Amino acid sequence: MVQELGYLKETPSQTAGPYVHIGLTPNFCGIGGVYEADLGTSMINDKTLGERITVRGRIFDGADTLVKDAVVEIWQADSAGLYNSPAEMRGTADPNFTGWGRCPTSAEDGVFSFETVKPGRVPYKDGRRMAPHITLWIVARGINIGLHTRMYFPDEAAANSEDPLLARIEHRDRVATLVAGQEGPVYTFDVHLQGDKETVFLDI
Amino acid sequence: MSDKSNSKPETGVFFARDRAWHAPAFTPGYKTSVLRSPQRALLSLDGTISEITGPVFGHSILGELDNDLIHNFAKSGESAIGERIIVHGRVLDERGRPVPGVLLEFWQANAGGRYRHKKETYLAAIDPNFGGCGRAITDEDGHYAFRTIRPGAYPWPNGVNDWRPAHIHFSIFGHGFAQRLITQMYFEGDPMIWKCPIVGTIPDRKAIEQLIAPLDWGNTIPMDARAYKFDIVLRGRRSTLFENRLEGN
């Protein structure tokens, strides 16, 4: 016998279920008075540095039906490309920017929406720079383990063309599933869970 | 983050997730997963700084009753109806190290199995003194605790006669966005666990057993509340001895 590695196993994921809002966004689902505000509803304030943008989108299932009971969380660098995290060793991120947001998809029209800033570029492991991107994490009834994906910016074509993650997508027509649409400061990122238009999801 | 020790924050890349241990996306016994599961393979990527980092929340976000579901929605002087329990445990990583300063959020049905949610139509009554949500942040040893009432089982429209076992939903942050996890805690001895299609999405019995909290008699408070212990394991980090330095390139 050899020595045992002695590692523990990760706690297995389970679906967030249809009532995920009770725990993550209680005010959104009418449970008032427990928390002052739902976490993640505000990422910026008056002093936040950078270009103000809106990121909004919808989520579709494999029958092109809107997923109206999901919760989307986003995580991104500040306008200078620094993360507001203790594991960020390259500098101190903008203290007026959380980098993290959380929004349920609307029960009426299925839309999620974030008021944020455009992120700066951050390095890949080998020192190349990644294109500006926002990481999304999606949970919902019917999703057994949270889905990670990334949103890239259509007005960053040059950066996108040298992005190490986008370069690894073998089926090149699928790169477009990670690039948002744009109208001025509003970026639209629709997610397709399954089928011909399926978004690229990540094992990270 | 805990500053109990002077060690630097950990910046290693997370261990790859064992996706044979977790439920696959497509689990037809759980019907909603059929159209909500990606069919293409996931794009695998060794973690970058976008995943190694993640939000951390300070204790300042917590209200006094945030970890007391018996009282945080109740009218003054009243409390939720049901079996009073304490749920506590530690958040560890796969290397067995405590994960301090991480936010946990909990939600659950009331003692009769009824959720306080407008989409919920189960005929069991709402408890006017029970909201069903709470949160806590782990201490320097990775420990958390909250007080609640034991949730009831409830029926759901999947199979003709499917019932969820009593469970509490958990959302856990960790220190990196790649550690983000949502799961469900079940109760020792509940025969419903082994009939549930959502539990059954997990292929390995040992993995399911990791979601079952044992009765913790030692921490039960006489004449007050029984205790259940639920430890949570998040992904471990590689040591950075021979990693490329992200900041140095």
Side-chain angles (χ1 to χ4, degrees):
Chain A
M1 294 295 281
V2 300
Q3 293 185 10
E4 287 189 22
L5 285 168
Y7 293 121
L8 304 174
K9 292 298 287 182
E10 188 186 8
T11 297
S13 174
Q14 290 262 268
T15 179
Y19 309 126
V20 56
H21 315 101
I22 294 174
L24 303 193
T25 56
N27 291 294
F28 170 86
C29 71
I31 301 177
V34 181
Y35 309 148
E36 215 165 273
D38 290 337
L39 271 188
T41 50
S42 171
M43 300 175 69
I44 56 175
N45 63 37
D46 294 345
K47 301 191 194 100
T48 306
L49 304 172
E51 180 187 340
R52 299 288 198 281
I53 62 169
T54 300
V55 172
R56 71 166 63 125
R58 297 167 297 172
I59 302 172
F60 296 87
D61 72 11
D64 259 346
T65 296
L66 281 170
V67 175
K68 295 178 174 177
D69 52 11
V71 170
V72 179
E73 292 184 7
I74 64 172
W75 174 240
Q76 63 166 98
D78 67 10
S79 60
L82 292 169
Y83 281 102
N84 190 353
S85 161
E88 172 59 85
M89 306 307 287
R90 298 169 300 142
T92 304
D94 181 354
N96 293 301
F97 182 60
T98 68
W100 176 80
R102 171 189 275 169
C103 186
T105 54
S106 154
E108 285 75 44
D109 58 13
V111 172
F112 64 85
S113 182
F114 298 94
E115 299 302 318
T116 182
V117 295
K118 194 168 174 186
R121 296 180 72 168
V122 301
Y124 190 60
K125 296 159 69 77
D126 58 7
R128 281 184 287 168
R129 289 191 305 162
M130 295 192 275
H133 63 270
I134 294 176
T135 300
L136 288 86
W137 186 71
I138 298 164
V139 293
R141 173 174 67 102
I143 296 176
N144 291 327
I145 182 165
L147 295 168
H148 282 277
T149 187
R150 281 188 186 181
M151 184 197 106
Y152 287 83
F153 294 82
D155 47 347
E156 295 284 347
N160 291 346
S161 69
E162 61 185 34
D163 182 81
L165 182 144
L166 294 179
R168 292 198 51 202
I169 299 174
E170 180 184 0
H171 302 97
R172 299 308 294 164
D173 57 335
R174 300 195 69 209
V175 171
T177 69
L178 300 188
V179 182
Q182 181 184 10
E183 272 183 55
V186 179
Y187 294 88
T188 304
F189 189 67
D190 285 345
V191 174
H192 295 268
L193 298 178
Q194 187 188 89
D196 291 343
K197 292 173 280 186
E198 188 174 306
T199 302
V200 173
F201 296 105
L202 308 173
D203 184 11
I204 47 176
Chain B
M1 288 284 286
S2 164
D3 49 12
K4 186 184 176 191
S5 74
N6 290 320
S7 55
K8 285 192 297 188
E10 293 188 292
T11 57
V13 173
F14 293 102
F15 293 170
R17 207 161 229 166
D18 180 355
R19 289 183 181 268
W21 178 254
H22 288 281
F26 178 73
T27 48
Y30 173 28
K31 293 183 178 180
T32 314
S33 77
V34 172
L35 283 171
R36 294 186 172 191
S37 46
Q39 293 168 322
R40 315 286 181 101
L42 302 178
L43 179 66
S44 297
L45 190 76
D46 195 26
T48 73
I49 193 163
S50 301
E51 294 81 34
I52 295 166
T53 56
V56 169
F57 304 88
H59 283 79
S60 61
I61 68 164
L62 298 181
E64 208 172 309
L65 293 177
D66 279 9
N67 68 345
D68 184 354
L69 283 69
I70 295 177
H71 297 108
N72 68 7
F73 192 78
K75 288 186 273 294
S76 178
E78 300 187 18
S79 53
I81 290 174
E83 300 178 35
R84 297 161 59 87
I85 59 170
I86 290 161
V87 178
H88 76 107
R90 295 177 77 199
V91 178
L92 307 166
D93 73 10
E94 288 169 296
R95 301 167 304 170
R97 300 187 192 191
V99 191
V102 299
L103 177 67
L104 295 100
E105 298 159 296
F106 331 104
W107 68 101
Q108 62 169 90
N110 70 22
R114 176 72 186 264
Y115 282 97
R116 184 177 286 276
H117 193 286
K118 54 179 174 279
K119 281 181 57 193
E120 161 72 286
T121 56
Y122 183 34
L123 46 76
I126 288 275
D127 178 346
N129 288 310
F130 187 71
C133 61
R135 60 189 178 185
I137 291 177
T138 56
D139 67 16
E140 63 269 20
D141 296 318
H143 201 265
Y144 73 90
F146 63 99
R147 182 155 70 156
T148 187
I149 53 91
R150 180 174 162 133
Y154 65 88
W156 59 300
N158 188 65
V160 172
N161 190 25
D162 279 338
W163 291 70
R164 295 303 321 282
H167 64 277
I168 299 175
H169 297 265
F170 277 69
S171 158
I172 310 105
F173 273 85
H175 293 160
F177 208 50
Q179 284 179 308
R180 196 77 183 82
L181 183 71
I182 280 182
T183 189
Q184 302 183 28
M185 181 200 105
Y186 303 98
F187 291 84
E188 178 183 8
D190 186 345
M192 309 271 295
I193 293 169
W194 306 104
K195 298 178 183 297
C196 176
I198 287 179
V199 174
T201 61
I202 299 173
D204 189 320
R205 188 182 172 99
K206 277 203 160 59
I208 293 171
E209 286 170 347
Q210 200 172 339
L211 299 181
I212 304 175
L215 179 64
D216 177 2
W217 203 244
N219 274 300
T220 287
I221 304 174
M223 307 301 286
D224 183 345
R226 284 171 303 154
Y228 284 86
K229 184 162 193 287
F230 186 56
D231 287 344
I232 294 161
V233 179
L234 302 179
R235 295 167 68 175
R237 283 179 188 270
R238 293 206 298 262
S239 55
T240 50
L241 298 174
F242 292 91
E243 295 276 351
N244 290 335
R245 292 190 314 137
L246 280 166
E247 70 274 26
N249 292 296

